[in-house]
Amino acid sequence: MNSTIQQNLEAVRSRISAAAQDCGRSPEEVTLLAVSKTKPVSAIEEAIVAGQRAFGENYVQEGVSKIQHFAQTPHGAELEWHFIGPLQSNKSRLVAEHFDWIHTIDRVKIAQRLSEQRPAECAPLNVLIQINISDESSKSGIELSELDALAAQVAEMPNLRLRGLMAIPAPEEDPAKQKAVFEQMEQAFLALKAQYPHIDTLSMGMTHDMAAAITAGSTLVRIGTAIFGARDYGTTS
Ligand SMILES: *Cc1c(COP(=O)(O)O)cnc(C)c1O
């Protein structure tokens, strides 16, 4: 029998606690973001019933439909929606109008648009700058050498709140190598925090590398498969 989303969530929470305790951190320092891309609202509903409140989506239109759906439900106001996919300029308005967080800021222009398009009645949009830490095949994220300049500009934007950094390292099976890459992120995060003391979020760690990420100081892990099962991109929903 397949395990339920509730059981999966419990198992993931235990893995987070164990990884935190192993390195002397408190489990409460690590937020669990449930990555629900491609999954139906019924799966998100199950996670909400099991106490999950923060969700990550990669595709603008899909994410906005889910946000609008859950806004009508009893827990709607408690939910937190994170945009974690690559963002094209022509879709920035929908992100500015509907999401609470974006993890994938990698250029000034998109940050500027989001700040201009954030509705006045909303709290500032929480933003993370994405670093391309090890995946040379990916075009997403900036080099570490570009971080100071981009952070300085984002920090000035009135309707954005710079909260920290995000990375998606290239897939790597060896936990020691995973950890070495995450430690580079930790260094960059601590250096940035020295300049902007309110910064508090280091978004790294997915299903296959969450323990190494937590050991290296992650404050937010983005978990899809371990909660919702494998994704099927082949069918339209
Ligand atoms: C899909 C995705 C995840 C979740 O990955 P899993 O391996 O399913 O846990 C995390 N972060 C980002 C940016 C993603 O696109």
Side-chain angles (χ1 to χ4, degrees):
M1 202 189 92
N2 289 330
S3 41
T4 65
I5 288 169
Q6 172 169 6
Q7 288 165 335
N8 291 344
L9 267 169
E10 281 165 15
V12 168
R13 289 183 193 127
S14 314
R15 283 168 69 185
I16 292 172
S17 295
Q21 271 152 10
D22 278 352
C23 62
R25 300 183 64 201
S26 157
E28 289 80 59
E29 291 171 31
V30 185
T31 299
L32 171 56
L33 184 68
V35 176
S36 44
K37 64 181 180 222
T38 79
K39 297 296 175 181
V41 294
S42 58
I44 298 175
E45 183 68 53
E46 261 189 83
I48 293 171
V49 168
Q52 181 64 29
R53 294 291 178 268
F55 293 90
E57 288 284 337
N58 290 58
Y59 310 103
V60 176
Q61 211 66 58
E62 178 188 338
V64 169
S65 330
K66 288 171 177 172
I67 292 169
Q68 286 173 332
H69 168 86
F70 284 102
Q72 315 296 323
T73 64
H75 290 294
E78 297 159 31
L79 302 182
E80 192 173 87
W81 293 95
H82 295 233
F83 187 75
I84 62 170
L87 181 58
Q88 294 164 347
S89 309
N90 62 352
K91 304 236 175 90
S92 63
R93 182 177 296 281
L94 283 168
V95 170
E97 290 179 348
H98 295 279
F99 281 84
D100 304 298
W101 287 72
I102 176 166
H103 291 218
T104 50
I105 293 295
D106 61 359
R107 53 200 194 279
V108 177
K109 189 170 150 253
I110 202 94
Q112 232 151 19
R113 286 177 69 93
L114 288 165
S115 185
E116 283 161 14
Q117 293 168 341
R118 184 70 168 170
E121 69 274 16
C122 295
L125 182 64
N126 296 295
V127 307
L128 302 178
I129 292 176
Q130 183 177 357
I131 306 294
N132 188 343
I133 196 68
S134 64
D135 192 353
E136 274 128 43
S137 66
S138 159
K139 289 191 228 47
S140 301
I142 59 165
E143 300 297 316
L144 277 178
S145 59
E146 301 168 291
L147 174 57
D148 281 352
L150 182 56
Q153 296 189 75
V154 170
E156 294 297 314
M157 295 182 187
N159 300 319
L160 304 185
R161 185 178 292 136
L162 180 61
R163 297 291 294 269
L165 302 178
M166 177 269 210
I168 313 172
E172 167 62 61
E173 291 307 319
D174 178 357
K177 289 184 183 154
Q178 291 174 353
K179 187 162 161 268
V181 172
F182 286 135
E183 280 170 352
Q184 287 179 267
M185 284 298 298
E186 183 179 34
Q187 295 299 318
F189 176 69
L190 293 174
L192 196 67
K193 195 171 160 59
Q195 292 179 67
Y196 307 95
H198 70 277
I199 279 177
D200 58 5
T201 304
L202 180 53
S203 164
M204 58 187 196
M206 301 169 38
T207 291
H208 70 286
D209 58 11
M210 69 175 107
I214 290 168
T215 306
S218 170
T219 72
L220 182 151
V221 290
R222 308 178 308 266
I223 309 298
T225 309
I227 297 172
F228 296 111
R231 286 176 292 273
D232 182 358
Y233 292 97
T235 58
T236 51
S237 53

